[in-house]
Amino acid sequence: MFYREAGQFKTTYEADGQILPIRQDRIALLATLAVAVLVLPFVATPYFLSAILIPFLIFALAALGLNILTGYAGQLSLGTAAFMAVGAFASWNFVYRFPGLPILAAFALGGLCAAMVGIAFGLPSLRIRGFYLAASTLATQFFVVWCLTKIPALTGGSASGVITAQKIVILGYAFDTPQRKYVLVLLIVALMALLAKNLVRSNVGRSWMAVRDMDVAAEVIGIRLMRAKLLAFAVSSFYCGVAGALYAFAYLGTVEPEAYSLDLSFRILFMIIIGGVGSILGSFLGAAFIVLLPVGLNIVAHGLGLPTSVASNLELMVFGALIVFFLIVEPHGLARLWQIGKEKLRLWPFPH
Amino acid sequence: MTFKSLVLGAVLATSGATALAQQFVALPSYRVGPYASGGAGFYGGIIDYFNLVNAAGGVNGVKVTWEECETEYNPSRGVECYERLKTSQGGATLVEPLSTGIAYGILDRIPQDKIPMTMLGYGRSDAANGKVFPYVFPLISSYWSQAAAMVKYLADKNGGNLKGKKIVHLYHDSAFGKEPLPVLEALAKQHGFELVKVPVAPPGSEQQAQWLQIRQARPDHVILWGWGVMNSVAIKTAQRNGFPRDKILGVWWAGSEEDTVPSGDAAKGYTAMSFNTPGNYPVLDDIRKKVYAAGKGNLPDQGRIGSVYHMRGVTAGILFTEAMRTAQDKFGKGKPVTGEQLRWGLENLNIDAARQKAIGAANMFPTVKTSCEDHEGSGAVKVQQWDGKKWVAITPNWIVGDRALVKRLVDESSNKYAAEKKLTPACMK
């Protein structure tokens, strides 16, 4: 009923192969984007923009990066936060050492540095897989943070190792208010999400999925395993690196190793598990769940007048229970729930 | 609780907020997580003192209000809390995060929002320069002043001379542990002692290797720059390795009951820095009588009243209310002041011995006198020793280290920051 497709004919290959084949989906996506770009910056409070939406978008980007690696290419990783840290510190160093460099170029270069680190730490994936690979990417996490605290050159010789991020200025225009930062982050994330969606639909993406599903079979049909796996690590780390740079420059305002702890890696892993492994939309849904729910619970608990210590323990309990509940009800995550919902709506009111 | 009563409660709360003259303080606190014991004591102390002030009618009739938000000591949560609290109840006029990470995260936001931030005994030491950081106040004493005072104390203990001595800096390998290094290195050169730097990976629950290294180095003193679980592990490992605890001098975040009680016997004789004199004070009796007896106490356990962290919180509460009083003296008594006005109050604090006595806190903390050049206002500290049951001050007077050196480092570092951020250092009116 809501998804009545009658009358939507596809007469060309292009029309048949587009990202969103159903017209309602296209309209919904465009409407969401229009609201996000044209309405939210003007009506949302600075708190909502800078403390909720910006981190949500940044974590969605990081989750997208991990989803490319884990969800599409099947390589488990626990080093997401480390790749984010590389992106953040590299971007900071590029701006610091090359004062004339445009900040967007610095973000991209930061992403490329993360991609190189990703390739280096992706090498073990050629020999090991599954939990063993997860353990070896865990080494990235410790190694990168260790490097950042041990090598003063990476932190510009700052005594404490914590440095403040430079201002974001693009073509003389300063992105210094929550509205402007939000719009910038939104544009970068939307663009990269579109890119990711196309990438996973392409030849490269199909080779990743072949590797994920059965790497021996993939090799037999002529997919070069080394290239596919390392490319997955590179692209995934690039996404995480850009997310890390945005996290430092557009959200925290500081660049410090402790912000990129193992804890953050786990949170991003939870995002893709809850959101949906192997789904672009799932990365966004998962990030929304992990970012918004604790804040929402905290505000509700505060409204009920609970003492803060009780409130935060309650928050952890409810949060944990919801994760367990969700994964029992739908182990494939929120994206799968949405897909099922959509299918039901297409048949409504005559389910079979 | 139904939805209706929730809405009703919210409406009542907001209408109440506009009816009375009140001064709102944002407290991004932490009462769960690895550092909960410190956070609960510190914020408990602030709230107890605010309750005491409100019970006496507030600051010239203006009630102090506050709101907490749980950060779990996590910078990302802290930034979210700050953004949430800053517009709450008509706008925050002061913020105290008690976390270096969170303080760094909101450092660039506070001048824009015009909300002063205090950092009692932590954070950026170079923020003492009010020309570059007009809204940041590392009140009483920064890490650099503390490090200078530590060296002064150790020199005094060795007959005024540290030449040829060996001092180990055993530190939490993080921003916090590395902060004093510039001062210690400069003083090592100046006094001619050898500085051995021994890092401990956070959280510091395993230190066997470090203490073996220390035993081999045979230092004259060990500076323990630790936080949380690291401290009691250090004290216990020192005992196991036969290192005398009275040769260990802890930073003030390694000098609370939470650090020594779990170490048991091992902690006896251990010394640590403090910016409070341990003991009992009339203001603490007032808190027991007027706040806890009325059922408004913030700590579940009354035995913690007057503990190190609680007293630090009470001290913070006193400094905040004195700043409000100072600001009201200039901008109009009996009216709440804005963030900008409170910034002026914090910059013109003068809490001398007479004022401390009037509050009932004589000699509880050093005289605090701030100015635009000096947002710290004191820099004086004490050394306290654990006698097995409680902390006892072992330096009768307040110790001040090499102020000229600290001032020089503060100016160098803050001017570098100003150059990076393209700020023109200037005093605010």
Side-chain angles (χ1 to χ4, degrees):
Chain A
M1 170 71 187
F2 295 101
Y3 274 94
R4 197 194 295 277
E5 285 175 78
Q8 297 185 27
F9 300 112
K10 295 175 182 83
T11 50
T12 59
Y13 283 120
E14 285 76 31
D16 200 32
Q18 60 188 324
I19 295 179
L20 300 166
I22 305 170
R23 190 193 293 138
Q24 286 90 330
D25 279 351
R26 286 198 295 277
I27 294 170
L29 183 73
L30 283 177
T32 315
L33 269 180
V35 169
V37 178
L38 301 174
V39 181
L40 277 182
F42 302 102
V43 297
T45 59
Y47 162 70
F48 195 68
L49 287 173
S50 63
I52 308 276
L53 287 177
I54 291 179
F56 154 65
L57 287 168
I58 292 170
F59 285 130
L61 188 62
L64 198 57
L66 183 63
N67 225 335
I68 288 174
L69 186 66
T70 304
Y72 286 98
Q75 312 295 308
L76 277 180
S77 165
L78 287 175
T80 319
F83 298 130
M84 290 175 73
V86 172
F89 275 87
S91 303
W92 183 85
N93 269 300
F94 279 117
V95 180
Y96 177 66
R97 288 172 207 282
F98 306 100
L101 193 74
I103 195 122
L104 286 179
F107 289 168
L109 287 169
L112 284 180
C113 287
M116 282 190 283
V117 174
I119 291 175
F121 281 91
L123 285 173
S125 71
L126 304 176
R127 286 292 171 87
I128 53 179
R129 58 182 100 141
F131 288 120
Y132 299 94
L133 182 62
S136 93
T137 52
L138 195 60
T140 334
Q141 180 66 46
F142 294 118
F143 181 74
V144 168
V145 173
W146 179 82
C147 274
L148 293 174
T149 48
K150 278 291 171 258
I151 305 174
L154 294 176
T155 50
S158 138
S160 58
V162 182
I163 39 194
T164 52
Q166 295 96 343
K167 289 199 170 83
I168 306 178
V169 181
I170 297 170
L171 299 174
Y173 189 77
F175 286 83
D176 50 3
T177 62
Q179 284 88 351
R180 292 174 185 179
K181 279 184 186 166
Y182 162 74
V183 170
L184 179 73
V185 173
L186 178 70
L187 290 179
I188 293 177
V189 173
L191 200 73
M192 289 181 73
L194 181 70
L195 207 71
K197 183 78 190 170
N198 277 314
L199 199 63
V200 298
R201 281 151 38 88
S202 71
N203 187 14
V204 178
R206 284 197 303 277
S207 70
W208 285 341
M209 285 183 262
V211 171
R212 171 191 69 190
D213 292 342
M214 184 77 197
D215 56 356
V216 178
E219 202 171 10
V220 168
I221 60 168
I223 288 166
R224 280 185 283 167
L225 277 192
M226 187 172 101
R227 196 170 147 245
K229 282 183 177 176
L230 292 186
L231 192 62
F233 265 98
V235 173
S236 153
S237 311
F238 179 82
Y239 273 73
C240 293
V242 174
L246 290 176
Y247 189 52
F249 281 78
Y251 179 59
L252 280 184
T254 63
V255 190
E256 62 161 333
E258 278 156 69
Y260 302 95
S261 59
L262 183 58
D263 188 52
L264 184 65
S265 288
F266 279 125
R267 281 178 62 197
I268 294 166
L269 187 65
F270 294 155
M271 283 175 199
I272 70 164
I273 293 175
I274 289 169
V277 176
S279 152
I280 302 290
L281 176 70
S283 312
F284 285 88
L285 296 179
F289 187 84
I290 300 270
V291 172
L292 301 183
L293 194 70
V295 175
L297 286 173
N298 189 296
I299 291 173
V300 168
H302 202 86
L304 295 174
L306 295 171
T308 45
S309 55
V310 177
S312 18
N313 285 319
L314 196 72
E315 185 190 314
L316 290 177
M317 277 151 42
V318 173
F319 192 58
L322 272 176
I323 290 178
V324 174
F325 173 77
F326 258 119
L327 292 185
I328 290 172
V329 172
E330 183 47 71
H332 294 112
L334 296 170
R336 176 82 185 129
L337 274 182
W338 168 238
Q339 205 182 345
I340 293 171
K342 224 163 70 169
E343 274 159 22
K344 289 220 186 297
L345 285 177
R346 283 166 91 167
L347 298 171
W348 193 83
F350 305 112
H352 50 241
Chain B
M1 174 93 29
T2 59
F3 181 72
K4 198 173 152 196
S5 57
L6 200 82
V7 172
L8 214 71
V11 169
L12 280 176
T14 45
S15 60
T18 47
L20 294 161
Q22 44 188 326
Q23 187 80 40
F24 177 59
V25 176
L27 299 177
S29 63
Y30 45 96
R31 289 164 187 267
V32 295
Y35 306 111
S37 63
F42 182 79
Y43 288 100
I46 295 180
I47 292 169
D48 281 349
Y49 188 74
F50 282 168
N51 271 322
L52 182 68
V53 168
N54 285 347
V59 184
N60 296 323
V62 179
K63 296 255 179 183
V64 186
T65 60
W66 60 90
E67 197 170 312
E68 283 186 83
C69 174
E70 177 66 44
T71 66
E72 294 175 23
Y73 199 73
N74 174 338
S76 167
R77 291 283 300 260
V79 169
E80 189 265 315
C81 277
Y82 168 76
E83 291 290 335
R84 186 182 334 164
L85 293 178
K86 82 178 184 198
T87 50
S88 189
Q89 300 192 21
T93 50
L94 185 75
V95 61
E96 165 59 73
L98 197 66
S99 147
T100 304
I102 300 173
Y104 270 92
I106 62 181
L107 194 72
D108 280 351
R109 299 170 191 238
I110 51 167
Q112 284 176 9
D113 300 330
K114 298 199 168 23
I115 300 172
M117 169 169 72
T118 58
M119 306 190 291
L120 254 81
Y122 68 91
R124 271 188 99 105
S125 301
D126 62 357
N129 184 356
K131 287 179 183 166
V132 178
F133 297 97
Y135 279 89
V136 188
F137 293 86
L139 285 173
I140 299 191
S141 187
S142 68
Y143 285 139
W144 286 355
S145 302
Q146 174 180 223
M150 275 175 158
V151 174
K152 167 92 164 44
Y153 165 73
L154 293 177
D156 289 350
K157 215 175 156 187
N158 285 291
N161 192 358
L162 280 173
K163 201 163 182 59
K165 301 278 180 198
K166 197 185 262 185
I167 297 177
V168 165
H169 177 57
L170 180 72
Y171 64 100
H172 193 264
D173 198 2
S174 66
F176 152 69
K178 284 189 250 179
E179 184 81 21
L181 285 176
V183 172
L184 291 177
E185 276 160 3
L187 285 170
K189 229 176 268 167
Q190 194 181 318
H191 284 260
F193 64 84
E194 191 191 337
L195 181 70
V196 185
K197 290 174 263 183
V198 184
V200 175
S205 38
E206 176 50 57
Q207 296 173 32
Q208 198 60 35
Q210 281 88 353
W211 283 95
L212 271 178
Q213 194 187 340
I214 290 170
R215 203 170 63 170
Q216 281 160 1
R218 299 173 161 275
D220 298 280
H221 298 282
V222 170
I223 292 175
L224 171 62
W225 207 280
W227 177 217
V229 65
M230 174 178 163
N231 301 327
S232 53
V233 173
I235 295 167
K236 278 189 271 187
T237 319
Q239 183 195 37
R240 220 174 300 137
N241 283 286
F243 190 85
R245 263 77 68 214
D246 52 2
K247 282 192 179 178
I248 311 178
L249 181 60
V251 64
W252 49 57
W253 303 116
S256 69
E257 288 78 2
E258 284 74 16
D259 302 310
T260 48
V261 171
S263 315
D265 267 358
K268 204 170 171 189
Y270 166 67
T271 52
M273 310 300 284
S274 172
F275 48 85
N276 286 122
T277 315
N280 196 27
Y281 295 90
V283 66
L284 297 178
D285 287 332
D286 276 356
I287 286 175
R288 283 191 193 96
K289 258 186 290 182
K290 293 178 187 156
V291 179
Y292 280 83
K296 281 189 169 172
N298 193 272
L299 296 176
D301 172 16
Q302 283 209 36
R304 279 188 79 188
I305 300 173
S307 68
V308 171
Y309 281 128
H310 182 258
M311 206 192 287
R312 248 170 234 173
V314 172
T315 306
I318 293 175
L319 294 174
F320 298 164
T321 41
E322 288 310 298
M324 290 167 200
R325 215 181 289 280
T326 312
Q328 281 190 18
D329 285 346
K330 182 173 162 81
F331 298 102
K333 278 189 186 175
K335 282 190 299 187
V337 290
T338 64
E340 284 167 280
Q341 292 167 341
L342 191 61
R343 188 205 71 81
W344 187 90
L346 282 162
E347 197 167 277
N348 292 281
L349 276 179
N350 186 6
I351 310 176
D352 52 12
R355 184 68 204 141
Q356 285 185 3
K357 193 150 190 289
I359 299 166
N363 207 25
M364 188 164 117
F365 53 95
T367 300
V368 179
K369 190 174 189 314
T370 51
S371 66
C372 165
E373 283 80 22
D374 180 16
H375 271 194
E376 195 178 346
S378 166
V381 290
K382 281 208 176 181
V383 180
Q384 54 179 4
Q385 188 165 35
W386 182 252
D387 71 354
K389 288 198 181 62
K390 60 177 192 309
W391 287 103
V392 187
I394 53 170
T395 49
N397 300 318
W398 294 98
I399 309 170
V400 180
D402 189 339
R403 292 299 282 164
L405 171 80
V406 173
K407 174 98 174 79
R408 202 186 76 221
L409 289 170
V410 163
D411 286 346
E412 266 173 30
S413 172
S414 56
N415 286 332
K416 191 172 157 230
Y417 175 88
E420 265 174 37
K421 291 272 169 183
K422 300 186 179 68
L423 301 169
T424 333
C427 281
M428 284 189 117
K429 287 272 176 261

